[in-house]
Amino acid sequence: MHIVFAASECAPYAKTGGLADVVAALPPALSAQGHRVTIFLPYYRQVARQVPEPPVVLPSLTIPFPSYNRFVRILDGGKEIGSNQGSVQLYFVDCPEMFDREGFYGTATGDYWDNAERFGLYCRAVIEASKILGVPDVFHVHDWQAAMLAVMLRSTYFFDPVLRSVPCVLSIHNAGYQGWFPPRTMETLLLPWDMFTLDKLESYDNVNFLKGGIVYADAITTVSRKYAEEIQTAEFGNGLDDMLRKRSGDLIGILNGVDYSEWNPATDPHIAAHYTAAKLAGKKECRRDLLHAFDMKEVSDATAVLGIVSRFATQKGFDLIEQISADLMQEDVALLVLGTGEPYFENFFRGLASRYPQKMSVKVGYDNGIAHKIEAGADIFLMPSRYEPCGLNQIYSLKYGTVPVVRATGGLDDTIYEEHEGQGNGFKFHGYNPQDLLDAIRRALAVRRVPAQWKAMMQRGMKQDFSWEQPAREYVQVYERVVRQRAW
Ligand code: ADP
Ligand code: GLC
């Protein structure tokens, strides 16, 4: 089967979060099962810095707008994606006035004003390029930035004899980001006004890209079973729950996998020493190296090192950390944080570090090497998310023997289990409140004081297998199903 992936991120070229990891790892897993995958990624400035002059595959595609055309080049990004088996092809969608900018989606002061046009253009370019470079058996589009592809296929491209029978699968990685734009976007993207209704693209007087994708995709997947249930409720659906309930027969939760060629303490090039579940000694060296990187060399072996690697977004539950910070700092812990995002949380963590310089340190920024060092060197990984569609860091943590403390939501609930007296693979709290988080951290600290129990817990997590093979099979089943349905 030939699958075209449309997504706004792909590691290592363009990454703000887990979407990039998934888009880099699922295609090689599909390829290993005999499928052909083509990925289209915008040629952002950050990509151009890494791949300065890729070969031009298509010199000029015409992308029409109401009173002008834009012109897009398709560039050859090569075949080296993740642990690629050879039949994944990456292309870049080059349109400098849209993508040669400092950020992917915006700057520190806000989103780019023309994101509807940027990602509308991107979707159309993927369709046009696919018609020339190879019409797939199925399009697989990710999140709001690519969701309009599903809408376009079934509206402006409706009469295209080549695309008619090609189905489209939409994966929702985060229903908190929907792509809301003013009504005139319908005209900008040359979409028929009769789609601007509440049962189609409209929500609250705006055009909603993700909603459009939900309405027009042949099947919808999301990144854990629990989140697939949650988004059908008012609490987690962000206004889309009604539409998602209507499509519940076509909504499937598939837990993300992990690319163990990238995240594995036995081979990771970013960490100070290698280790495995059977030979844990190297983890101590990684801990020393991590404390060194954060300038916290004085921390004793008895102290529990707590790690965080995250986008600083409201979704991630850091307001709970803020509320327990005074109590937490009384415990025998060292808290090491890497992240970037909302200024409020950047300032909170910076403030905490200046108040407790012996116990807390933060690096504000994006740094893949440090992210790996935290996974390897910390004792405990914190993810108190308000909601979490899947969450990859807790799964990486399991592999690195870094015991996760998580809130029971979305993929965190599906991957972490806590049993009496530390018999699980981590610690989990339910209610979204600071006391429950603090209690869960204290339970973790108590088990850590019993070395044999702690070691057994680390090893249980390290031995679990979350590789992409099984999820890739589940995606293939979805592709086969939509291909069958559309052939009818
Ligand atoms: P989300 O996609 O919501 O951000 P995930 O847990 O699925 O959450 O994935 C986050 C990914 O982004 C992980 O690979 C993590 O290591 C990475 N990441 C997040 N913030 C940073 C950062 N500041 N520096 C380096 N990597 C980061
Ligand atoms: C989103 C979610 C995260 C998920 C990732 C990859 O960014 O917030 O939970 O792991 O996508 O699917």
Side-chain angles (χ1 to χ4, degrees), residues 15-19 21 263 309-311 315-316 338-340 365-368 371 383 388 391-393 396:
K15 170 166 168 175
T16 66
L19 169 66
D21 292 9
W263 298 93
V309 178
S310 185
R311 292 183 293 115
Q315 166 195 349
K316 300 295 179 178
L338 169 68
T340 176
Y366 182 89
D367 188 325
N368 185 45
M383 283 181 85
E388 195 62 73
L392 291 170
N393 279 308
Y396 300 156

Side-chain angles (χ1 to χ4, degrees), residues 66-88:
S67 56
Y68 53 94
N69 294 324
R70 290 198 187 277
F71 299 91
V72 162
R73 294 193 309 169
I74 301 296
L75 310 176
D76 187 351
K79 291 177 181 283
E80 284 174 23
I81 276 288
S83 52
N84 192 4
Q85 309 289 315
S87 46
V88 179

